[in-house]
Amino acid sequence: TGLVVNRVVSRSVEDELSIVERQRLTLVATAVGEVDLTAPRAQRSLQAILGRIAAQIRGRAELTAADGTLIAGAGNVPPGVATEQLEEPVASGGMLVLHVPQPERAFLRIFNATLIIAGILSVIVVIATSFFLSDRLTRPLRGVAAAAHRLGGGDLSARASGGPDR
């Protein structure tokens, strides 16, 4: 059950985040595409837009020319953090590239740990309940077996009490 839940949640998280990121990327590409790169203040405007986007995604935003050279970039991805690279063409012929950290991996790690703990606790509860119930159900039979052994040993006064314990 835990594996099935894990797969369903993992897939749902990935799908939801990719839709949101794709929408964000399209909006940013439109905003960047509206910046006239030949204007004197274009570089500052472009840096401001990329800086805001990089801060929102907690990653890096870059604009590259059609030949792949970097025009502008803002933000940083912490070392050792897995990222997804999203690319969207812009009206100027370049490419907007977002390096988005993958926070769902941390979420899934916590979710999986919670599933494992819940599974272990469930097994413990099932085992404890089965021991309790089996003892409760077999107690009268153990009384009958003990009386039968005493009868077999010659104790004709041995009796087994029937029914549940009181």
Side-chain angles (χ1 to χ4, degrees), residues 47-85:
Q47 275 303 130
I49 291 171
L50 294 178
R52 275 184 266 156
I53 296 305
Q56 284 182 347
I57 65 171
R58 293 185 178 100
R60 180 156 176 80
E62 300 173 341
L63 178 64
T64 60
D67 63 0
T69 58
L70 182 67
I71 296 173
N76 290 313
V77 176
V81 173
T83 62
E84 180 180 357
Q85 183 171 317

Side-chain angles (χ1 to χ4, degrees), residues 4-82:
V4 170
V5 170
N6 172 277
R7 293 294 170 209
V8 169
V9 170
S10 297
R11 192 73 200 146
S12 297
V13 168
E14 288 173 12
D15 290 346
E16 187 61 35
L17 287 177
S18 64
I19 290 169
V20 170
E21 295 301 333
R22 186 56 58 189
Q23 289 171 342
R24 179 182 289 165
L25 182 60
T26 302
L27 287 171
V28 173
T30 302
V32 169
E34 293 174 358
V35 175
D36 179 12
L37 297 176
T38 61
R41 294 184 177 173
Q43 193 65 24
R44 270 201 335 234
S45 297
L46 187 57
Q47 275 303 130
I49 291 171
L50 294 178
R52 275 184 266 156
I53 296 305
Q56 284 182 347
I57 65 171
R58 293 185 178 100
R60 180 156 176 80
E62 300 173 341
L63 178 64
T64 60
D67 63 0
T69 58
L70 182 67
I71 296 173
N76 290 313
V77 176
V81 173

Side-chain angles (χ1 to χ4, degrees), residues 135-143 161-166:
D135 179 62
R136 187 110 166 109
L137 292 173
T138 60
R139 193 175 301 146
L141 294 175
R142 287 193 307 262
S161 61
D165 291 340
R166 295 183 182 159

